[in-house]
Amino acid sequence: MGEQYVWDLRDLDASQGALAGGKGANLGELARIEGVHVPRGFCVTTGAYRRTVLERTPGVGALIEELTALAGPERAREPGHPEAVRELSARLRRAVEAAVLPGELVEAVTEAVGRLGPDTPWAVRSSATAEDLPTASFAGQQDSYLNVVGVPAVLRDVRRCWASLFTERAVAYRLRGGIDERAVRMAVVVQEMVVPDAAGVLFTADPVSGNRRVSTVDAGFGLAEALVSGAVTPDVLRVRDGRVVERTVAVKRQALRARSGGGTEAVPVPAERQERPVLSDRQAVRLAALGRRIEERFGRPQDIEWCLVGEDGFRVVQSRPITTLFPVPVRKDAEGNTDGTRVYLSVGHQQMMTDAMRPLGLSVWQLTAMAPMHEAGSRLFVDATRQLAAGERRTAFLDLVGRGDPLVRDALETLLERPDVVLPAAPDAPAAPPGRRRASDALATDPAIVTELVARSRASVAALRRDIGARRGSELFDFLAGAFEEHKRVLADPLSMRAVMAGMEATWWLSDQLRAWLGEENAVDTLTLSAPGNVTSEMGLALLDVADAIRPYPEVVAYLEGVGDAPDAAFLDGLAALGGGPAARRALDGYLELYGARCVGEIDLTRPRWSERPGTLVPLILDHVRNFGPGAAAQRFEDGLRRAREKERDVLARLRDLPDGERKAEETAAAIERVRTFIGYREYPKYGIVRRYAVYREALLAEAALLVERGVLDAVEDAYQLTFEEFREAVRSGTVDRGLIAERAEAFRAHRALTPPRVLTSDGEAVSGAYRRADVPDGALTGLPVSAGTVEGRARVLLDLTRARDLAPGDILVTAFTDPSWSPLFVGVAGLVTEVGGLMTHGAVIAREYGLPAVVGVDGATRRIRDGQRVRVHGTAGYVELLP
C-alpha cells in the first residue's frame, strides 16, 4: 500500500506536525476538544509536497541549496543579498506552481472533496512544518485561498500554497530565524468554508502587555481575512476574570464576504450597523472561556481565529501559540504560589547583560548569587514583591531603585497605582530610627581598606585555582558545589559591601548637595575622573599600553591585520617568527594574565573568555595603534586627574563664598576624598566573580570534553544546555537526554529574539517605564544622563564587540548594553549611548572615569540611530539629537 497523501482532520493531533504541518496538526488537536467546533476538512500531507516538489520537479533542490547558502547574519550584510533572495524565491515559486501532481494525489483530493459535494466551498490554507510552532508562529507568511469551489480549483490552490513557502517575506522570516530551508516542508489544509456573520481573532493573553489574565478579542463583520490583513479596523474587547473590562467600537465601513461562484469580495456595511458592536459582552466572555479551554489543551497562550454563525455558533478555524510573549518566571518554591501579583526585576538590566543565557550559565549564576533568582525567557529575575508590599520598605526601595534606573522606578510606581494589581500581604519592615547613620558611615576613609579587600579577592581566586587541581568526575562537582558556597561568602563580605556602598553613598551625597548649594547637576562626573583602583578603567587603558608595544613593529601590525574574526589563541604562536613578535607576545600575554577571564556577557559561564579567543581584542588594538600615540594611557589618566583636582578646587572655592561656606566646603572635601577612595573598588567584586568563573569554566569544559570522548555528548557545547545538577548527573550516570538538549537549544534560539522587560509580573505583564520629561527637543531620543558633557560625532552602532573595527577619533558608540568587557573600546570613542543602564552601572561608571559624555537607557537606540549617522549626545541633559 502506497503512502497516504490525504488525511481527515479528525485523524490528526498535535504530535503530527511533521506530517500535517503546524496548522493541520493543531486543527486536528482542536477537533478533539469537547465543546470546540472545527469545520470539517482534510489535509494534503508534507509527503505529497515532498514527492511532487522535491523529488519530481526539476531544479527545485538546487535552488533550495542556493537559498540555504544565503542564511546567516554575515551573508545578510553582504551587498546584493536582498536581491539574491528575491530572485531565488521567485524562481522557486514559478517552478512549484508549474509542478505536475501525481495521479494518486489527484485521486485522493477528488475523493475527499466529493464527500461534501462538488459545489461545497472550501478554504485552502498553507500548513508548513515551520508554522504555528511554540517558538515561531509564521503568522501571515504563507498564503490562504477562500471560497474555492471544485476539484480543479482546489488542486490549483494546493500548488499555490506550496509555492507560497517561497514568498520573499516567508523566506526572509526563516533566514532571520535561523531555520534551515532544506528542513522545511509544506502541508495544505482544506476545510469546509464557513460563511460567518462575524469573525476575528482571540488572544488568550494580552499580546501587547503580555498579561496572561487578560484575553483580547478583535471582531469584525464578515470574514476574518479583512481584519487579519489590516483592511478593516476591528472592535477590540478585553476580558478579565469573566467580564469585559474594556471595549473599543470601531467604525466598520466594509466587510469581506464570499462571492457566488468562488472567491471573496468587499461589500459595504449598512450605515446603521457600522458603529454597532460586533459582539455582546456575553458573547465575548463566552469566546474568552472557549479560548481558555484551548489554551489549557495546548499548554500555552494561543492566537485563535474564530467565526460566529448565528447567535452562539462559534467555530474555530485556527489556533497557534503567541510567540512574542515574554515567558513568566519559573517558581518552584511555596512563596511563588501565594495569592496576589508578584513583581520581578530583570537581573540582566542590573548587570548590563540582557542577552539570553543557556541553562548551564543560568544555573551557575543562580547557585552563586546572593539572592534567589528565577528563570524566564533564558534570563534571570529577582522577586521584589516583599520590598514593594509595605510602606516604609517600599519607599526606601523605590528611592534606591530610582537612583540607579528611573525607568524601573516609574514602571514600579505605574504598576502599584493600578487598582487591579494587588500584592501579597507582607509585614512591614520597622522604620529606621530618626538620625540613624548609614551602614557605611562608620567605615574610615582609608585606602588601606581597599588594598586589603583586593588582596583578599586575589588570595581567594588563587586558592580556588590551587584547590581545584586536577579533580575530575563526581569529585569535581562536589568540589564546585562547595566552591559556590565560598563564592557567596566572598560576595557577602561585610567589609566589601560597606566599601562599595561608601563610594556610592558619597557619590549620591555630592550630587544632591552640589545641586542644592551650587546648582551643579553633574559636578561629581568630573570629580571622579581617574579615580584610583578602578580595575575596569585600568583594563581599558592597559590595552593602549599593548598597542604601544606593537606599534613600532610593522611586521606585527601587518600580521594582526590578517587575523580573521575572533580566532582562538593559536594565532599568538605566529608572532614568534616576526620582528618585534616576542615583545608583542609578552605584552598580549601580560594583558591576558590580568584580564583574560573577561568577555562580552561575562556573567554567562558558557561565553568564551578572551584567554580562549584573544583575537576578539585585535580590532581594538589595531584601532589604538592607528589612532593614538605612545604613552596615551598615562597621558589620559593624568589629564583626568588634573581635571578632577581643578574641579575640586573650583567647587570648594565657590562653597566658601556661601553662607556657612566653611562647613559646606569641609563636608564636601571629605566627601570628595571618600568617593575617590572607594568608588574605584566598586568594580572589583565583579572582577573577582569573573576570575572565579573562568576557573569554573575551564574545569567544566574539560569534563564536557571527556563526555564527548565517551560518546555521552555529541559536542562540548551540548553541556551548555544542561543545568549544573543535570551535568553532574550526566557525569555520574554516563547518560544524557539528547531530546532535552535539542529542545533547549531550540528554546534558546527563540528566546534570543525576545526583549526582556525591566519589570515583569507573575501574570506575565511586561511593564515599561517612562522618563516623563517635557524639556527634550522634538525628535530627540530621551535617556538617563550619566556622564556630563556634549559631543557631536558619527554614530557607530555596534551589537558585537568583535565587529568593532575602523573606529575613528570622535566616533560615538551606540549599543544595546556595555558590560565591563566593552571598556577597552571606551578609550577610542568620544561619547556613549546605550539602551540599557543606570547611574551606577558599569558603562556609566567607566564613561565618567574617562570623561565621555554618555546617555543610557535610550529605548530602541540601536534601531532608531543608523550606523554612520551624525548625532549629538547631551550627557548633562540626558538626550540624543539625530542630526541631518
Side-chain angles (χ1 to χ4, degrees):
M1 184 175 179
E3 182 176 356
Q4 183 179 340
Y5 292 136
V6 173
W7 286 57
D8 191 291
L9 288 179
R10 292 170 296 185
D11 295 331
L12 298 171
D13 60 41
S15 69
Q16 293 174 288
L19 175 75
K23 185 182 283 97
N26 287 354
L27 282 168
E29 191 69 32
L30 285 166
R32 296 166 180 263
I33 304 174
E34 184 178 353
V36 175
H37 301 288
V38 176
R40 295 174 294 177
F42 59 91
C43 179
V44 179
T45 69
T46 57
Y49 168 83
R50 184 198 69 247
R51 179 160 184 222
T52 306
V53 175
L54 300 182
E55 296 176 0
R56 297 181 47 167
T57 305
V60 166
L63 289 171
I64 289 176
E65 288 294 334
E66 288 187 54
L67 202 57
T68 301
L70 295 175
E74 295 298 323
R75 294 301 306 271
R77 285 191 283 265
E78 292 178 0
H81 184 270
E83 292 77 12
V85 171
R86 186 178 304 121
E87 180 188 352
L88 285 170
S89 300
R91 291 169 63 188
L92 278 162
R93 289 196 304 276
R94 288 194 295 270
V96 174
E97 287 181 7
V100 178
L101 300 177
E104 58 267 41
L105 174 60
V106 174
E107 290 176 9
V109 170
T110 301
E111 181 183 347
V113 168
R115 293 192 193 109
L116 296 186
D119 298 325
T120 299
W122 301 90
V124 183
R125 302 172 186 267
S126 62
S127 180
T129 53
E131 187 177 76
D132 295 355
L133 302 179
T135 55
S137 75
F138 278 71
Q141 299 305 313
Q142 278 91 45
D143 292 342
S144 297
Y145 301 92
L146 303 180
N147 201 28
V148 181
V149 180
V151 171
V154 169
L155 292 172
R156 175 201 64 205
D157 290 343
V158 165
R159 277 193 298 260
R160 291 166 71 185
C161 281
W162 286 343
S164 73
L165 191 62
F166 301 106
T167 62
E168 189 179 344
R169 68 179 184 274
V171 170
Y173 191 100
R174 290 194 296 273
L175 291 177
R176 282 197 305 271
I179 295 172
D180 189 343
E181 292 291 330
R182 295 164 297 192
V184 179
R185 301 287 185 270
M186 173 74 85
V188 178
V189 169
V190 184
Q191 281 182 285
E192 182 182 8
M193 179 76 181
V194 176
V195 182
D197 298 303
V201 177
L202 163 67
F203 299 95
T204 64
D206 190 318
V208 177
S209 73
N211 195 320
R212 293 345 189 239
R213 293 178 62 188
V214 175
S215 296
T216 300
V217 179
D218 290 358
F221 295 123
L223 296 167
E225 270 64 22
L227 179 153
V228 172
S229 67
V232 300
T233 302
D235 289 358
V236 180
L237 301 90
R238 300 174 79 240
V239 180
R240 179 180 180 131
D241 299 333
R243 66 187 186 90
V244 175
V245 294
E246 186 178 326
R247 174 193 289 273
T248 301
V249 178
V251 178
K252 299 166 286 292
R253 293 187 172 86
Q254 66 175 22
L256 194 68
R257 301 286 186 188
R259 187 170 51 204
S260 177
T264 60
E265 61 182 351
V267 298
V269 174
E272 66 274 13
R273 298 189 66 201
Q274 289 181 2
E275 297 185 45
R276 184 182 301 172
V278 174
L279 297 179
S280 66
D281 280 12
R282 183 183 65 81
Q283 288 172 319
V285 169
R286 181 168 175 267
L287 180 61
L290 189 67
R292 291 291 176 217
R293 197 178 310 163
I294 294 170
E295 176 184 82
E296 183 178 359
R297 181 64 164 247
F298 285 103
R300 67 189 77 240
Q302 296 288 299
D303 166 356
I304 299 166
E305 190 174 328
W306 56 270
C307 301
L308 178 62
V309 181
E311 181 67 21
D312 285 307
F314 283 109
R315 304 286 186 271
V316 176
V317 296
Q318 184 168 310
S319 186
R320 56 184 170 229
I322 307 174
T323 59
T324 56
L325 298 176
F326 200 86
V328 177
V330 176
R331 294 294 295 260
K332 297 179 180 179
D333 56 324
E335 190 171 23
N337 297 320
T338 55
D339 291 334
T341 302
R342 303 203 74 83
V343 182
Y344 299 92
L345 303 186
S346 164
V347 173
H349 284 80
Q350 299 166 36
Q351 291 294 330
M352 293 291 283
M353 207 296 278
T354 55
D355 287 350
M357 295 170 63
R358 296 172 179 85
L360 183 60
L362 290 167
S363 62
V364 171
W365 188 261
Q366 288 173 304
L367 289 168
T368 56
M370 294 171 60
M373 294 185 179
H374 311 284
E375 185 273 335
S378 297
R379 278 84 168 184
L380 291 173
F381 292 80
V382 291
D383 188 344
T385 309
R386 282 180 174 270
Q387 285 76 15
L388 294 169
E392 289 292 336
R393 184 183 295 168
R394 174 188 294 182
T395 301
F397 183 71
L398 288 174
D399 184 58
L400 179 65
V401 167
R403 286 186 177 273
D405 189 341
L407 289 179
V408 174
R409 175 170 188 158
D410 185 79
L412 292 173
E413 290 178 333
T414 300
L415 191 68
L416 293 170
E417 288 171 0
R418 285 176 24 193
D420 61 308
V421 175
V422 180
L423 303 186
D428 196 359
R436 180 179 176 180
R437 295 168 64 84
R438 295 171 297 195
S440 66
D441 286 351
L443 191 67
T445 303
D446 184 356
I449 294 172
V450 174
T451 302
E452 178 188 346
L453 288 169
V454 169
R456 284 188 196 177
S457 178
R458 289 174 177 167
S460 175
V461 173
L464 171 65
R465 186 171 292 280
R466 179 192 68 235
D467 295 343
I468 202 169
R471 297 174 194 265
R472 290 291 180 265
S474 294
E475 182 189 5
L476 170 66
F477 283 86
D478 292 343
F479 173 82
L480 286 174
F484 295 163
E485 294 304 312
E486 170 64 10
H487 184 123
K488 289 190 282 191
R489 189 199 64 76
V490 170
L491 279 180
D493 181 341
L495 183 62
S496 177
M497 297 178 73
R498 290 168 66 198
V500 169
M501 288 307 301
M504 294 174 66
E505 289 168 352
T507 300
W508 296 336
W509 187 92
L510 283 168
S511 294
D512 293 345
Q513 297 307 120
L514 294 182
R515 182 187 304 113
W517 291 339
L518 299 176
E520 287 250 15
E521 285 292 337
N522 302 92
V524 73
D525 296 352
T526 307
L527 291 168
T528 53
L529 289 172
S530 297
N534 187 316
V535 68
T536 307
S537 62
E538 289 170 353
M539 176 175 68
L541 295 176
L543 203 63
L544 288 172
D545 292 335
V546 173
D548 285 354
I550 290 171
R551 191 180 295 107
Y553 304 110
E555 201 174 349
V556 174
V557 173
Y559 174 75
L560 294 179
E561 286 173 341
V563 169
D565 288 346
D568 60 27
F571 85 93
L572 295 174
D573 295 335
L575 293 169
L578 305 176
R585 177 66 185 265
R586 286 193 297 273
L588 283 164
D589 285 346
Y591 188 87
L592 293 172
E593 175 64 27
L594 289 173
Y595 308 114
R598 311 215 86 148
C599 65
V600 173
E602 59 194 12
I603 67 171
D604 182 355
L605 186 85
T606 70
R607 297 286 188 99
R609 309 286 129 171
W610 285 346
S611 58
E612 300 167 56
R613 295 186 181 175
T616 303
L617 300 169
V618 168
L620 300 178
I621 294 170
L622 291 173
D623 280 343
H624 291 350
V625 167
R626 286 189 293 267
N627 297 332
F628 294 93
Q635 183 62 52
R636 286 176 69 97
F637 187 84
E638 290 302 320
D639 286 348
L641 187 59
R642 175 185 51 78
R643 290 175 58 196
R645 293 309 184 199
E646 289 175 354
K647 186 66 176 179
E648 180 178 5
R649 288 192 293 271
D650 171 66
V651 164
L652 296 180
R654 291 161 60 197
L655 286 172
R656 291 188 183 101
D657 290 337
L658 299 176
D660 198 18
E662 286 301 327
R663 178 189 62 81
K664 293 174 180 175
E666 182 179 346
E667 290 179 358
T668 301
I672 292 171
E673 181 185 6
R674 191 168 182 79
V675 77
R676 292 189 64 83
T677 297
F678 291 114
I679 198 63
Y681 177 71
R682 183 195 175 283
E683 294 291 302
Y684 207 91
K686 178 74 170 288
Y687 177 66
I689 291 172
V690 171
R691 296 198 78 183
R692 293 182 71 91
Y693 265 37
V695 179
Y696 305 153
R697 175 178 166 82
E698 182 180 349
L700 289 171
L701 283 180
E703 204 61 39
L706 291 175
L707 291 182
V708 172
E709 286 181 18
R710 293 163 54 192
V712 179
L713 297 176
D714 292 330
V716 167
E717 291 75 15
D718 287 348
Y720 298 162
Q721 303 300 344
L722 303 173
T723 66
F724 177 80
E725 289 300 332
E726 289 167 347
F727 194 174
R728 187 182 202 170
E729 177 59 22
V731 168
R732 187 198 66 78
S733 66
T735 60
V736 71
D737 185 344
R738 292 171 185 264
L740 178 66
I741 289 174
E743 179 183 320
R744 286 184 175 165
E746 173 62 21
F748 175 74
R749 184 195 66 78
H751 290 161
R752 289 173 68 180
L754 299 177
T755 300
R758 285 175 166 82
V759 177
L760 183 65
T761 74
S762 54
D763 294 330
E765 184 171 1
V767 188
S768 300
Y771 289 107
R772 308 187 189 282
R773 293 172 52 186
D775 60 340
V776 175
D778 291 343
L781 309 183
T782 308
L784 176 66
V786 295
S787 185
T790 301
V791 64
E792 179 180 322
R794 178 182 67 157
R796 293 303 313 276
V797 181
L798 297 173
L799 300 179
D800 182 352
L801 190 61
T802 64
R803 312 302 304 174
R805 59 191 67 213
D806 300 324
L807 291 171
D811 281 349
I812 294 168
L813 173 62
V814 180
T815 189
F817 59 80
T818 57
D819 64 5
S821 67
W822 286 77
S823 300
L825 194 62
F826 284 20
V827 300
V829 297
L832 174 68
V833 179
T834 70
E835 295 176 337
V836 175
L839 187 64
M840 296 305 295
T841 51
H842 302 282
V845 171
I846 304 308
R848 290 194 291 271
E849 282 272 335
Y850 289 165
L852 300 178
V855 181
V856 303
V858 180
D859 184 48
T862 59
R863 289 184 293 100
R864 300 161 73 184
I865 300 174
R866 301 188 313 275
D867 187 47
Q869 181 177 14
R870 292 196 66 78
V871 298
R872 186 178 296 124
V873 178
H874 295 264
T876 303
Y879 62 88
V880 181
E881 289 183 276
L882 309 182
L883 304 178

